[in-house]
Coordinates of all heavy atoms in Angstrom, one line a residue:
M1 N 60.0 -2.2 23.8 CA 59.2 -1.0 23.5 C 57.9 -1.1 24.3 O 57.3 -2.2 24.4 CB 58.9 -1.0 22.0 CG 58.2 0.3 21.6 SD 58.0 0.4 19.8 CE 59.5 1.3 19.3
P2 N 57.5 -0.1 25.0 CA 56.2 -0.2 25.8 C 55.0 -0.5 25.0 O 55.0 -0.2 23.8 CB 56.1 1.3 26.4 CG 57.4 1.9 26.3 CD 58.1 1.3 25.1
T3 N 54.1 -1.1 25.6 CA 52.8 -1.5 24.9 C 51.6 -0.9 25.6 O 51.6 -0.8 26.8 CB 52.7 -3.0 24.8 OG1 52.6 -3.6 26.1 CG2 53.8 -3.7 24.0
V4 N 50.6 -0.6 24.8 CA 49.4 -0.1 25.3 C 48.3 -1.0 24.7 O 48.3 -1.2 23.5 CB 49.1 1.4 24.9 CG1 47.8 1.9 25.5 CG2 50.2 2.3 25.2
T5 N 47.4 -1.5 25.6 CA 46.3 -2.3 25.2 C 45.0 -1.5 25.4 O 44.7 -1.1 26.5 CB 46.3 -3.7 25.9 OG1 47.5 -4.4 25.8 CG2 45.1 -4.5 25.4
F6 N 44.3 -1.3 24.3 CA 43.1 -0.7 24.3 C 41.9 -1.7 24.2 O 41.9 -2.5 23.3 CB 42.9 0.3 23.1 CG 43.9 1.4 23.1 CD1 45.1 1.3 22.5 CD2 43.7 2.6 23.8 CE1 46.1 2.4 22.5 CE2 44.6 3.6 23.9 CZ 45.8 3.5 23.2
V7 N 41.0 -1.7 25.2 CA 39.9 -2.6 25.2 C 38.6 -1.8 24.9 O 38.3 -0.9 25.6 CB 39.8 -3.3 26.5 CG1 38.6 -4.3 26.5 CG2 41.1 -4.0 26.9
Q8 N 38.0 -2.2 23.7 CA 36.8 -1.5 23.3 C 35.6 -1.9 24.1 O 35.7 -3.0 24.8 CB 36.5 -1.8 21.8 CG 37.6 -1.3 20.9 CD 37.6 0.3 20.7 OE1 36.8 1.0 21.2 NE2 38.6 0.8 20.0
S9 N 34.6 -1.1 24.1 CA 33.4 -1.5 24.9 C 32.7 -2.8 24.4 O 32.0 -3.5 25.0 CB 32.4 -0.4 24.9 OG 32.0 0.0 23.5
T10 N 33.1 -3.2 23.1 CA 32.6 -4.4 22.5 C 33.4 -5.6 23.1 O 33.0 -6.8 22.8 CB 32.8 -4.4 21.0 OG1 34.2 -4.2 20.7 CG2 32.0 -3.3 20.4
G11 N 34.5 -5.4 23.8 CA 35.4 -6.4 24.3 C 36.6 -6.7 23.4 O 37.5 -7.4 23.8
E12 N 36.6 -6.1 22.2 CA 37.8 -6.2 21.3 C 39.0 -5.6 22.0 O 38.9 -4.5 22.5 CB 37.5 -5.5 20.0 CG 38.6 -5.7 19.0 CD 38.5 -4.9 17.7 OE1 37.6 -4.0 17.7 OE2 39.3 -5.1 16.8
S13 N 40.1 -6.2 21.9 CA 41.3 -5.8 22.6 C 42.4 -5.6 21.5 O 42.6 -6.5 20.7 CB 41.7 -6.8 23.6 OG 42.9 -6.5 24.2
I14 N 43.0 -4.4 21.5 CA 44.1 -4.1 20.5 C 45.3 -3.7 21.3 O 45.3 -2.7 22.0 CB 43.6 -3.1 19.5 CG1 42.3 -3.5 18.9 CG2 44.7 -2.8 18.5 CD1 41.4 -2.3 18.7
E15 N 46.4 -4.4 21.0 CA 47.7 -4.0 21.7 C 48.6 -3.3 20.6 O 48.8 -3.8 19.5 CB 48.4 -5.2 22.2 CG 49.7 -4.9 22.9 CD 50.4 -6.1 23.5 OE1 49.9 -6.7 24.4 OE2 51.5 -6.5 22.9
V16 N 49.2 -2.2 21.0 CA 50.1 -1.5 20.1 C 51.4 -1.2 20.9 O 51.4 -1.0 22.1 CB 49.5 -0.1 19.6 CG1 48.2 -0.4 18.8 CG2 49.2 0.8 20.8
A17 N 52.5 -1.2 20.2 CA 53.8 -0.9 20.7 C 54.1 0.6 20.4 O 53.9 1.0 19.2 CB 54.8 -1.8 20.2
V18 N 54.6 1.3 21.4 CA 54.9 2.7 21.1 C 56.2 3.1 21.8 O 56.6 2.5 22.8 CB 53.8 3.7 21.6 CG1 52.5 3.4 20.8 CG2 53.5 3.4 23.1
A19 N 56.8 4.2 21.4 CA 58.0 4.7 21.9 C 57.8 5.3 23.3 O 56.7 5.8 23.6 CB 58.6 5.8 21.0
E20 N 58.8 5.2 24.2 CA 58.7 5.8 25.5 C 58.3 7.3 25.3 O 58.8 8.0 24.4 CB 60.0 5.7 26.2 CG 60.1 4.5 27.0 CD 61.4 4.5 27.9 OE1 61.7 5.5 28.5 OE2 62.1 3.5 27.9
G21 N 57.5 7.8 26.2 CA 57.1 9.2 26.1 C 55.9 9.5 25.3 O 55.4 10.6 25.2
T22 N 55.4 8.5 24.7 CA 54.2 8.6 23.8 C 53.0 8.6 24.7 O 52.8 7.8 25.7 CB 54.0 7.5 22.8 OG1 55.2 7.4 22.0 CG2 52.8 7.6 22.0
S23 N 52.0 9.6 24.5 CA 50.8 9.6 25.3 C 49.8 8.5 24.8 O 49.9 8.0 23.6 CB 50.1 11.0 25.2 OG 49.5 11.1 23.9
L24 N 48.9 8.1 25.7 CA 47.9 7.1 25.3 C 47.1 7.6 24.1 O 46.7 6.9 23.2 CB 47.0 6.8 26.5 CG 47.7 6.2 27.7 CD1 46.7 5.9 28.8 CD2 48.5 5.0 27.4
M25 N 46.8 8.9 24.1 CA 46.0 9.5 23.0 C 46.8 9.4 21.7 O 46.2 8.9 20.7 CB 45.7 11.0 23.3 CG 44.9 11.7 22.2 SD 45.9 12.3 20.8 CE 46.6 13.8 21.5
R26 N 48.1 9.7 21.7 CA 48.8 9.7 20.5 C 49.0 8.2 20.0 O 48.9 7.9 18.8 CB 50.2 10.3 20.7 CG 51.0 10.5 19.5 CD 50.4 11.4 18.4 NE 50.1 12.8 18.9 CZ 49.3 13.6 18.3 NH1 48.6 13.3 17.2 NH2 49.0 14.8 18.8
A27 N 49.2 7.3 21.0 CA 49.3 5.9 20.6 C 48.0 5.4 19.9 O 48.1 4.7 19.0 CB 49.5 5.1 21.9
A28 N 46.9 5.9 20.4 CA 45.6 5.5 19.8 C 45.4 6.1 18.4 O 45.1 5.4 17.5 CB 44.4 5.9 20.8
V29 N 45.6 7.4 18.4 CA 45.3 8.1 17.1 C 46.3 7.6 16.0 O 45.8 7.3 14.9 CB 45.5 9.6 17.3 CG1 45.5 10.3 16.0 CG2 44.4 10.1 18.2
T30 N 47.5 7.4 16.3 CA 48.5 7.0 15.2 C 48.3 5.5 14.8 O 48.7 5.1 13.8 CB 49.9 7.2 15.7 OG1 50.2 6.5 16.9 CG2 50.2 8.6 15.8
N31 N 47.6 4.8 15.7 CA 47.3 3.3 15.4 C 45.9 3.1 15.0 O 45.5 1.9 14.9 CB 47.7 2.5 16.5 CG 49.2 2.3 16.7 OD1 49.9 1.6 15.9 ND2 49.8 3.1 17.6
G32 N 45.1 4.1 14.8 CA 43.7 4.0 14.3 C 42.8 3.3 15.2 O 41.9 2.6 14.8
I33 N 43.0 3.6 16.5 CA 42.1 3.0 17.5 C 40.8 3.7 17.5 O 40.7 4.9 17.8 CB 42.7 3.0 18.9 CG1 44.1 2.3 18.9 CG2 41.8 2.4 20.0 CD1 44.0 0.8 18.7
D34 N 39.7 3.0 17.3 CA 38.4 3.7 17.3 C 38.0 4.2 18.7 O 38.4 3.5 19.7 CB 37.3 2.7 16.9 CG 37.3 2.4 15.4 OD1 37.8 3.3 14.6 OD2 36.7 1.4 15.0
G35 N 37.4 5.3 18.8 CA 36.9 5.8 20.1 C 37.8 6.7 20.8 O 37.4 7.2 21.9
I36 N 39.0 7.0 20.3 CA 39.9 8.0 20.8 C 40.1 9.1 19.7 O 40.6 8.7 18.7 CB 41.3 7.4 21.2 CG1 41.1 6.2 22.2 CG2 42.1 8.5 21.9 CD1 40.7 6.6 23.6
V37 N 39.6 10.2 20.0 CA 39.6 11.3 19.0 C 40.8 12.2 19.1 O 41.5 12.5 18.1 CB 38.3 12.1 19.0 CG1 38.3 13.2 18.0 CG2 37.1 11.1 18.9
G38 N 41.0 12.7 20.3 CA 42.2 13.7 20.5 C 42.0 14.9 19.7 O 43.0 15.4 19.1
E39 N 40.8 15.5 19.8 CA 40.5 16.7 19.0 C 41.4 17.9 19.2 O 41.7 18.6 18.3 CB 39.0 17.1 19.3 CG 38.4 17.9 18.2 CD 36.9 18.0 18.5 OE1 36.5 18.9 19.3 OE2 36.2 17.2 17.9
C40 N 41.8 18.1 20.4 CA 42.6 19.3 20.7 C 44.1 19.1 20.6 O 44.9 20.0 20.8 CB 42.3 19.9 22.1 SG 43.0 18.9 23.5
G41 N 44.5 17.9 20.2 CA 45.9 17.6 20.0 C 46.7 17.4 21.2 O 47.9 17.4 21.2
G42 N 46.0 17.2 22.3 CA 46.8 16.9 23.6 C 46.9 18.1 24.5 O 47.8 18.0 25.4
Q43 N 46.1 19.1 24.4 CA 46.2 20.3 25.2 C 45.2 20.2 26.4 O 45.1 21.2 27.1 CB 45.8 21.5 24.4 CG 46.7 21.7 23.2 CD 48.2 21.8 23.6 OE1 48.6 22.6 24.4 NE2 49.0 20.9 23.0
A44 N 44.6 19.1 26.7 CA 43.7 19.0 27.8 C 42.5 19.9 27.7 O 42.1 20.6 28.7 CB 44.4 19.1 29.2
M45 N 42.0 20.1 26.5 CA 41.0 21.0 26.3 C 39.7 20.5 25.6 O 38.8 21.2 25.2 CB 41.5 22.2 25.4 CG 42.5 23.0 26.2 SD 43.2 24.4 25.2 CE 41.8 25.4 25.0
C46 N 39.7 19.1 25.4 CA 38.5 18.6 24.6 C 37.9 17.4 25.3 O 36.7 17.1 25.0 CB 39.0 18.3 23.2 SG 40.0 16.8 23.0
A47 N 38.6 16.6 26.0 CA 38.2 15.4 26.7 C 37.7 14.3 25.7 O 37.0 13.4 26.1 CB 37.0 15.7 27.7
T48 N 38.2 14.4 24.5 CA 37.8 13.3 23.5 C 38.9 12.2 23.5 O 39.0 11.4 22.6 CB 37.7 13.9 22.1 OG1 38.9 14.4 21.6 CG2 36.6 14.9 22.1
C49 N 39.7 12.2 24.5 CA 40.8 11.1 24.6 C 40.5 10.4 25.9 O 41.4 9.7 26.5 CB 42.2 11.8 24.6 SG 42.4 12.9 26.0
H50 N 39.3 10.5 26.5 CA 39.0 9.8 27.7 C 39.2 8.3 27.7 O 38.8 7.7 26.7 CB 37.5 10.1 28.0 CG 36.9 9.6 29.3 ND1 35.6 9.4 29.4 CD2 37.5 9.3 30.5 CE1 35.3 9.0 30.7 NE2 36.5 8.9 31.3
V51 N 39.9 7.8 28.7 CA 40.1 6.4 28.9 C 39.9 6.0 30.3 O 39.9 6.9 31.2 CB 41.5 5.9 28.4 CG1 41.7 6.1 26.9 CG2 42.6 6.6 29.2
F52 N 39.6 4.7 30.6 CA 39.5 4.2 31.9 C 40.8 3.3 32.1 O 40.9 2.3 31.4 CB 38.3 3.4 32.1 CG 37.0 4.1 31.8 CD1 36.2 3.8 30.7 CD2 36.6 5.1 32.6 CE1 35.0 4.5 30.4 CE2 35.4 5.8 32.4 CZ 34.6 5.5 31.3
V53 N 41.6 3.7 33.1 CA 42.8 2.9 33.3 C 42.5 1.8 34.3 O 41.9 2.0 35.3 CB 43.9 3.8 34.0 CG1 45.1 3.0 34.4 CG2 44.3 5.0 33.0
R54 N 42.9 0.6 33.9 CA 42.7 -0.6 34.8 C 43.4 -0.4 36.1 O 44.5 0.2 36.2 CB 43.2 -1.8 34.1 CG 42.5 -2.2 32.8 CD 41.3 -3.0 33.1 NE 40.4 -3.3 31.9 CZ 40.4 -4.4 31.2 NH1 41.1 -5.4 31.6 NH2 39.6 -4.5 30.2
P55 N 42.7 -0.8 37.2 CA 43.2 -0.4 38.5 C 44.7 -0.9 38.8 O 45.4 -0.2 39.5 CB 42.3 -1.2 39.5 CG 41.1 -1.6 38.6 CD 41.5 -1.5 37.2
E56 N 45.1 -2.0 38.2 CA 46.4 -2.5 38.5 C 47.5 -1.6 37.9 O 48.7 -1.7 38.3 CB 46.6 -3.9 38.0 CG 46.3 -4.2 36.5 CD 44.9 -4.6 36.2 OE1 44.0 -4.0 36.8 OE2 44.7 -5.5 35.4
Y57 N 47.1 -0.7 37.0 CA 48.1 0.3 36.4 C 48.0 1.7 37.0 O 48.9 2.5 36.9 CB 48.0 0.3 34.9 CG 48.1 -1.0 34.3 CD1 47.0 -1.8 34.0 CD2 49.3 -1.6 34.0 CE1 47.1 -3.1 33.4 CE2 49.5 -2.8 33.4 CZ 48.3 -3.6 33.1 OH 48.5 -4.8 32.6
A58 N 46.9 2.0 37.6 CA 46.6 3.3 38.0 C 47.7 3.9 39.0 O 48.0 5.0 39.0 CB 45.2 3.4 38.6
G59 N 48.2 3.0 39.9 CA 49.1 3.5 40.9 C 50.4 3.9 40.4 O 51.2 4.6 41.0
A60 N 50.8 3.5 39.2 CA 52.0 3.8 38.6 C 52.0 5.2 37.8 O 53.0 5.6 37.3 CB 52.5 2.7 37.6
L61 N 50.8 5.8 37.8 CA 50.6 7.0 37.0 C 50.8 8.2 37.8 O 50.5 8.2 39.0 CB 49.2 7.0 36.4 CG 48.9 5.9 35.4 CD1 47.4 6.1 34.9 CD2 49.8 5.8 34.3
P62 N 51.3 9.3 37.2 CA 51.3 10.6 38.0 C 49.9 11.0 38.3 O 48.9 10.6 37.6 CB 52.0 11.5 37.0 CG 51.9 10.9 35.7 CD 51.8 9.4 35.9
P63 N 49.7 11.8 39.3 CA 48.3 12.2 39.7 C 47.7 13.1 38.7 O 48.3 13.7 37.8 CB 48.5 12.9 41.0 CG 50.0 13.3 41.1 CD 50.7 12.3 40.2
V64 N 46.4 13.2 38.8 CA 45.6 14.0 37.9 C 45.9 15.5 38.2 O 45.8 15.9 39.4 CB 44.1 13.7 38.0 CG1 43.2 14.7 37.2 CG2 43.8 12.3 37.7
S65 N 46.2 16.3 37.2 CA 46.5 17.7 37.4 C 45.1 18.4 37.5 O 44.1 17.9 37.2 CB 47.3 18.3 36.2 OG 46.4 18.3 35.1
D66 N 45.2 19.7 38.0 CA 44.0 20.5 38.1 C 43.3 20.6 36.7 O 42.1 20.6 36.6 CB 44.3 21.9 38.7 CG 44.7 21.8 40.2 OD1 44.4 20.7 40.8 OD2 45.2 22.8 40.7
D67 N 44.1 20.9 35.7 CA 43.5 21.1 34.4 C 42.8 19.8 33.9 O 41.7 19.8 33.3 CB 44.6 21.5 33.3 CG 45.0 22.9 33.5 OD1 44.3 23.7 34.2 OD2 46.0 23.3 32.9
E68 N 43.5 18.7 34.1 CA 42.9 17.4 33.7 C 41.7 17.1 34.5 O 40.6 16.7 33.9 CB 43.9 16.3 33.9 CG 43.4 14.9 33.4 CD 44.5 13.8 33.6 OE1 45.6 14.1 34.1 OE2 44.1 12.6 33.3
D69 N 41.7 17.4 35.8 CA 40.5 17.1 36.6 C 39.3 17.9 36.1 O 38.2 17.4 36.0 CB 40.9 17.5 38.1 CG 39.8 17.2 39.0 OD1 39.3 16.1 39.0 OD2 39.4 18.1 39.8
E70 N 39.6 19.2 35.8 CA 38.5 20.0 35.3 C 37.9 19.5 34.0 O 36.7 19.4 33.8 CB 39.0 21.4 35.1 CG 38.0 22.5 35.0 CD 38.7 23.9 34.9 OE1 39.6 24.2 35.7 OE2 38.3 24.6 34.0
M71 N 38.8 19.1 33.1 CA 38.3 18.6 31.8 C 37.6 17.2 31.9 O 36.7 16.9 31.2 CB 39.5 18.5 30.8 CG 39.1 18.3 29.4 SD 37.8 19.5 28.8 CE 38.6 21.0 29.1
L72 N 38.0 16.4 32.9 CA 37.4 15.1 33.1 C 35.9 15.2 33.5 O 35.1 14.3 33.4 CB 38.1 14.3 34.1 CG 39.4 13.6 33.6 CD1 40.3 13.1 34.8 CD2 39.1 12.5 32.6
D73 N 35.5 16.4 34.0 CA 34.1 16.6 34.3 C 33.3 16.9 33.0 O 32.1 17.0 33.1 CB 34.0 17.9 35.2 CG 34.4 17.6 36.6 OD1 34.4 16.4 37.0 OD2 34.8 18.5 37.3
C74 N 34.0 16.9 31.9 CA 33.3 17.2 30.6 C 33.2 16.0 29.7 O 32.9 16.1 28.5 CB 34.0 18.4 29.9 SG 34.1 19.9 30.8
T75 N 33.5 14.8 30.1 CA 33.6 13.7 29.3 C 32.2 13.2 28.9 O 31.2 13.5 29.6 CB 34.2 12.5 30.0 OG1 33.6 12.2 31.2 CG2 35.7 12.7 30.3
T76 N 32.0 12.7 27.7 CA 30.7 12.2 27.2 C 30.3 11.0 28.0 O 29.1 11.0 28.4 CB 30.8 11.9 25.7 OG1 31.2 13.1 25.0 CG2 29.5 11.4 25.1
S77 N 31.1 10.0 28.1 CA 30.8 8.9 28.9 C 31.1 9.3 30.4 O 32.1 10.0 30.6 CB 31.6 7.6 28.6 OG 31.1 7.1 27.4
E78 N 30.3 8.8 31.3 CA 30.4 9.3 32.7 C 31.8 9.0 33.2 O 32.4 7.9 33.1 CB 29.4 8.6 33.5 CG 29.2 9.2 34.9 CD 28.0 8.6 35.7 OE1 27.2 7.9 35.0 OE2 28.0 8.8 36.9
R79 N 32.3 10.0 33.9 CA 33.6 9.9 34.6 C 33.5 8.9 35.8 O 32.5 8.8 36.5 CB 34.0 11.3 35.1 CG 35.3 11.3 35.9 CD 35.5 12.7 36.4 NE 36.8 12.8 37.1 CZ 37.4 13.9 37.5 NH1 36.8 15.0 37.4 NH2 38.6 13.8 38.1
T80 N 34.6 8.2 35.9 CA 34.7 7.2 37.1 C 36.0 7.5 37.8 O 36.8 8.3 37.3 CB 34.6 5.8 36.6 OG1 35.8 5.4 36.0 CG2 33.4 5.5 35.7
E81 N 36.3 6.7 38.8 CA 37.6 6.8 39.5 C 38.7 6.4 38.6 O 39.9 6.8 38.8 CB 37.6 5.9 40.7 CG 36.5 6.3 41.7 CD 37.1 6.4 43.2 OE1 38.0 5.6 43.4 OE2 36.6 7.2 43.9
A82 N 38.5 5.6 37.6 CA 39.5 5.2 36.6 C 39.7 6.1 35.5 O 40.6 5.9 34.7 CB 39.1 3.8 36.1
S83 N 39.0 7.2 35.4 CA 39.0 8.1 34.2 C 40.3 8.9 34.2 O 40.8 9.4 35.2 CB 37.9 9.1 34.3 OG 36.7 8.4 34.0
R84 N 40.9 8.9 33.0 CA 42.1 9.8 32.8 C 41.9 10.4 31.4 O 41.2 9.8 30.5 CB 43.4 9.0 32.8 CG 43.8 8.5 34.2 CD 44.0 9.5 35.3 NE 45.0 10.5 35.0 CZ 46.2 10.5 35.5 NH1 46.6 9.6 36.3 NH2 47.1 11.5 35.2
L85 N 42.6 11.5 31.1 CA 42.7 12.0 29.7 C 43.9 11.3 29.1 O 45.0 11.4 29.6 CB 42.9 13.5 29.7 CG 41.8 14.4 30.2 CD1 42.2 15.8 30.1 CD2 40.5 14.1 29.5
G86 N 43.7 10.6 28.0 CA 44.8 9.8 27.4 C 45.9 10.7 27.0 O 47.1 10.2 26.9
C87 N 45.7 12.0 26.7 CA 46.8 12.8 26.3 C 47.7 13.2 27.5 O 48.8 13.7 27.2 CB 46.2 14.1 25.6 SG 45.3 15.2 26.6
Q88 N 47.2 13.0 28.7 CA 48.0 13.4 29.8 C 48.8 12.2 30.5 O 49.4 12.4 31.5 CB 47.1 14.0 30.9 CG 46.4 15.3 30.3 CD 47.3 16.4 29.9 OE1 48.1 16.9 30.6 NE2 47.2 16.7 28.6
V89 N 48.6 11.0 29.9 CA 49.3 9.8 30.4 C 50.3 9.3 29.4 O 49.9 9.0 28.3 CB 48.2 8.7 30.8 CG1 48.9 7.5 31.2 CG2 47.3 9.2 31.8
K90 N 51.5 9.3 29.8 CA 52.5 8.8 28.8 C 53.2 7.5 29.3 O 53.3 7.3 30.5 CB 53.7 9.9 28.7 CG 53.2 11.2 28.1 CD 54.4 12.1 28.0 CE 54.0 13.3 27.1 NZ 53.2 14.3 27.8
V91 N 53.5 6.7 28.3 CA 54.2 5.4 28.6 C 55.6 5.7 28.9 O 56.2 6.7 28.4 CB 54.1 4.4 27.5 CG1 52.6 4.0 27.3 CG2 54.7 4.9 26.2
S92 N 56.2 5.0 29.8 CA 57.6 5.2 30.2 C 58.3 3.9 30.6 O 57.6 2.9 30.7 CB 57.6 6.2 31.4 OG 57.0 5.6 32.5
A93 N 59.5 4.0 31.0 CA 60.2 2.9 31.5 C 59.6 2.3 32.8 O 59.6 1.1 33.1 CB 61.7 3.2 31.8
E94 N 59.0 3.3 33.6 CA 58.3 2.9 34.8 C 57.0 2.2 34.5 O 56.4 1.6 35.4 CB 58.1 4.1 35.7 CG 59.4 4.7 36.3 CD 60.2 5.5 35.3 OE1 59.6 6.2 34.5 OE2 61.4 5.3 35.2
L95 N 56.5 2.5 33.3 CA 55.1 1.9 33.0 C 55.2 1.3 31.6 O 54.7 1.8 30.6 CB 54.1 3.1 33.0 CG 52.7 2.7 32.8 CD1 52.2 2.0 34.1 CD2 51.8 3.9 32.6
P96 N 55.9 0.2 31.5 CA 56.2 -0.4 30.2 C 55.0 -1.0 29.5 O 55.0 -1.3 28.3 CB 57.3 -1.5 30.5 CG 57.1 -1.8 31.9 CD 56.6 -0.6 32.6
S97 N 54.0 -1.3 30.3 CA 52.7 -1.7 29.6 C 51.6 -1.2 30.4 O 51.7 -1.0 31.6 CB 52.7 -3.3 29.5 OG 52.5 -3.8 30.8
I98 N 50.5 -1.0 29.7 CA 49.3 -0.5 30.4 C 48.0 -1.0 29.6 O 48.1 -1.2 28.4 CB 49.3 1.0 30.5 CG1 48.1 1.5 31.3 CG2 49.3 1.7 29.1 CD1 48.2 3.0 31.7
V99 N 47.0 -1.2 30.3 CA 45.7 -1.6 29.7 C 44.6 -0.6 30.1 O 44.5 -0.3 31.3 CB 45.3 -3.0 30.2 CG1 43.9 -3.4 29.5 CG2 46.3 -4.1 29.9
V100 N 44.0 -0.1 29.1 CA 42.9 0.9 29.3 C 41.7 0.5 28.6 O 41.7 -0.1 27.5 CB 43.3 2.3 28.9 CG1 44.6 2.8 29.6 CG2 43.6 2.4 27.4
D101 N 40.5 0.9 29.1 CA 39.2 0.6 28.5 C 38.8 1.9 27.8 O 39.0 3.0 28.3 CB 38.2 0.2 29.5 CG 38.5 -1.1 30.1 OD1 38.3 -2.1 29.4 OD2 38.9 -1.2 31.3
V102 N 38.3 1.8 26.6 CA 37.8 2.9 25.8 C 36.4 3.1 26.1 O 35.6 2.1 26.0 CB 38.1 2.6 24.3 CG1 37.5 3.8 23.4 CG2 39.5 2.4 24.0
P103 N 35.9 4.3 26.4 CA 34.5 4.5 26.7 C 33.6 4.2 25.5 O 34.1 4.3 24.3 CB 34.5 6.0 27.0 CG 35.9 6.5 27.2 CD 36.7 5.5 26.5
A104 N 32.4 3.9 25.8 CA 31.4 3.6 24.7 C 31.2 4.8 23.8 O 31.0 4.7 22.6 CB 30.1 3.0 25.3
D105 N 31.2 6.0 24.5 CA 30.9 7.2 23.7 C 32.0 8.2 24.0 O 32.4 8.3 25.2 CB 29.6 7.8 24.1 CG 28.4 6.9 23.8 OD1 28.3 6.6 22.6 OD2 27.7 6.5 24.7
Q106 N 32.5 8.9 23.0 CA 33.6 9.8 23.2 C 33.1 11.2 22.9 O 33.6 12.2 23.5 CB 34.8 9.4 22.4 CG 36.1 10.1 22.7 CD 36.6 9.6 24.1 OE1 36.3 10.2 25.1 NE2 37.5 8.6 24.1
V107 N 32.3 11.4 21.9 CA 31.8 12.7 21.5 C 30.3 12.8 21.4 O 29.7 11.7 21.2 CB 32.4 13.2 20.2 CG1 33.9 13.4 20.4 CG2 32.2 12.2 19.1
Ligands
FES1 S1 43.4 15.3 23.3 FE1 42.1 16.9 24.0 S2 41.9 16.6 26.1 FE2 43.2 15.0 25.4

């Protein structure tokens, strides 16, 4: 089963196992990860699922869509090159594990 590791701004690291096809946002919300809200339910309309993908995993991800790109300009913590919307990134057989940093502020 794929795993997602969420690293909080405090340095705390939490690894969760999720089914293929699960978004990072859903993985966080269903496992009670602090700092990922997912207010819009995954519609790329709230930016409360902002995460920073570690560079070693970024190349395996599909590119940022226009809608995601627009919403990433609305994140509470400053957007960086590593920024993605957690609801738009899904774990898969091609990406069996991923490590992301959770922003210090989400809303
Ligand atoms: S959950 Fe709203 S943009 Fe991702």
Side-chain angles (χ1 to χ4, degrees):
M1 192 173 266
T3 62
V4 183
T5 302
F6 295 94
V7 182
Q8 298 286 355
S9 58
T10 58
E12 183 188 10
S13 178
I14 304 141
E15 181 180 292
V16 299
V18 294
E20 272 186 46
T22 304
S23 72
L24 300 182
M25 179 278 282
R26 191 60 60 196
V29 169
T30 57
N31 286 283
I33 303 295
D34 285 339
I36 306 288
V37 180
E39 199 168 87
C40 77
Q43 301 304 306
M45 294 176 69
C46 71
T48 64
C49 60
H50 182 203
V51 294
F52 303 111
V53 174
R54 295 274 172 102
E56 58 268 42
Y57 302 96
L61 301 181
V64 174
S65 69
D66 289 345
D67 286 347
E68 183 179 0
D69 184 49
E70 197 173 312
M71 195 49 60
L72 281 169
D73 287 335
C74 304
T75 55
T76 300
S77 286
E78 192 171 347
R79 177 181 184 173
T80 72
E81 299 229 326
S83 291
R84 295 298 303 256
L85 293 181
C87 66
Q88 301 301 302
V89 176
K90 294 183 168 76
V91 297
S92 66
E94 293 75 43
L95 189 69
S97 70
I98 187 169
V99 180
V100 300
D101 293 288
V102 178
D105 297 301
Q106 195 68 274
V107 291

